[in-house]
């Protein structure tokens, strides 16, 4: 009974805080919504399918947000609304992303492909750490670039940033860096694949393990062949399922690094702050992934919403939640643009791009080498 009352009290406190944040920041929320809708509208004019996936609505939203946020002085209420989108709406969007993923997707790739994915992710994160230290890039920014390259681009960046307590400038620079290398991948990967004479499956494995954002993976795979697209998509989903465990790992590492900087008494007081190490939105993401997994196993939810068979209604519901998730994340990235100061980005210089270059080149070369010269590419 006491636990029930405590939960109710926490819930009422949360609702009160939410109401206060919306009341104080509604002009900014309205601005975020307008910019997000405008970005989607402008993106609709890109009719060429591959170009449409290469230049995403998220990229347009971040650029428009940067333009508006730096060209016009935004008051506290506008900044508060953008921050609400970046925090509250982002978390809800990531939770709903869990319905997109299932353990069946991991199983469909096979053990060798899964091992390939794990090796590539580990190498990319290690390179980000090493290159960040080499070029003296802030550790949080280097980590965001690493996780964005290793897992799933912008989504991984904005999901990991709260755990690392990264600010909007670090998040904005990481998003810009990852987007740039994703665009280059769309242009260069198919040309390299044809030059090397890669088979359709080999190219799909390469695209699925080495290209950053899911939409860009789809674009790269589609350019090469239909089989490459199918292989790349499944492998990319496997990378995406590892996002939640890696966020938890980043939280543990970050908490440990903070403890090292504190006095012994302060470290003991904060060592078990699991709310920071394992954020609620990560648990929500995992819970909905479990719902999708159990639903597929029970025959209630389709494994592939594009080919649902008799589960048309369930597929439509999953697609609806996916669209809501994508728009919430679009609004969150709009908030990143609005709250990012270009002067701060200029102070960071080009060093973060060097980190991104190192990580992208290593990931591309390592993945391709493992596919061509080891049994992992079989």
């Amino acid at each position: 009974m006491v636990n029930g009352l405590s939960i109710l009290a926490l819930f009422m406190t949360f609702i009160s805080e939410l109401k206060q944040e919306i009341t104080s920041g509604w002009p900014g929320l309205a601005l975020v919504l307008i910019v997000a809708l405008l970005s989607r509208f402008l993106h609709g004019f890109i009719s060429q399918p591959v170009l449409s996936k290469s230049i995403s609505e998220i990229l347009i939203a971040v650029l428009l947000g940067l333009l508006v946020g730096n060209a016009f002085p935004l008051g506290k209420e506008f900044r508060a609304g953008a921050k609400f989108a970046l925090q509250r709406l982002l978390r809800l969007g990531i939770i709903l992303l869990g319905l997109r993923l299932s353990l069946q997707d991991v199983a469909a790739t096979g053990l060798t492909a899964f091992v390939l994915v794990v090796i590539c992710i580990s190498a990319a994160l290690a390179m980000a750490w090493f290159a960040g230290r080499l070029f003296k890039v802030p550790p949080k920014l280097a980590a965001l670039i690493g996780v964005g390259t290793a897992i799933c681009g912008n989504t991984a960046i904005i999901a990991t940033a709260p755990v690392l307590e990264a600010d909007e400038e670090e998040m904005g620079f990481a998003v810009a860096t990852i987007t740039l290398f994703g665009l280059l991948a769309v242009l260069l990967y198919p040309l390299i694949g044809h030059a090397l004479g890669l088979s359709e499956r080999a190219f799909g494995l390469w695209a699925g393990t080495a290209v950053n954002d899911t939409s860009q993976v789809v674009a790269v795979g589609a350019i090469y062949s239909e089989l490459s697209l199918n292989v790349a998509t499944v492998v990319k989903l496997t990378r995406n399922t590892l996002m939640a465990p890696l966020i938890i790992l980043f939280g543990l590492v970050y908490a440990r690094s903070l403890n090292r900087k504190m006095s012994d008494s302060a470290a003991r007081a904060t060592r078990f702050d699991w709310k920071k190490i394992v954020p609620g939105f990560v648990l929500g993401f995992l819970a909905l992934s479990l719902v999708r997994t159990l639903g597929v196993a029970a025959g209630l939810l389709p494994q592939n919403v594009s080919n649902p068979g008799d589960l048309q209604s369930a597929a439509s519901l999953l697609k609806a939640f996916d669209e809501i998730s994508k728009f919430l994340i679009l609004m969150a990235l709009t908030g990143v643009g609005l709250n990012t100061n270009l002067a701060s980005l200029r102070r960071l210089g080009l060093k973060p791009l060097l980190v991104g270059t190192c990580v992208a080149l290593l990931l591309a070369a390592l993945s391709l080498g493992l596919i061509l010269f080891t049994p992992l590419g079989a």
Side-chain angles (χ1 to χ4, degrees), residues 107-117 119 198-206 209 227 231 235 366-378:
T109 65
L111 180 60
T112 55
F114 180 75
V115 172
L116 175 65
V117 166
I119 292 174
L198 295 181
S199 68
E200 293 177 342
R201 173 176 166 74
F203 185 84
L205 283 172
W206 188 36
T209 52
L227 176 60
V231 173
V235 173
L366 176 63
S367 172
L368 186 58
L370 291 172
I371 291 167
L372 293 178
F373 304 116
T374 74
L376 295 177

Side-chain angles (χ1 to χ4, degrees), residues 45-61:
F45 285 102
I46 307 176
S47 57
Q48 212 284 331
V50 173
L51 188 61
S52 175
K53 293 184 182 301
S54 304
I55 303 175
S56 67
E57 59 184 19
I58 285 179
L59 173 60
I60 298 173

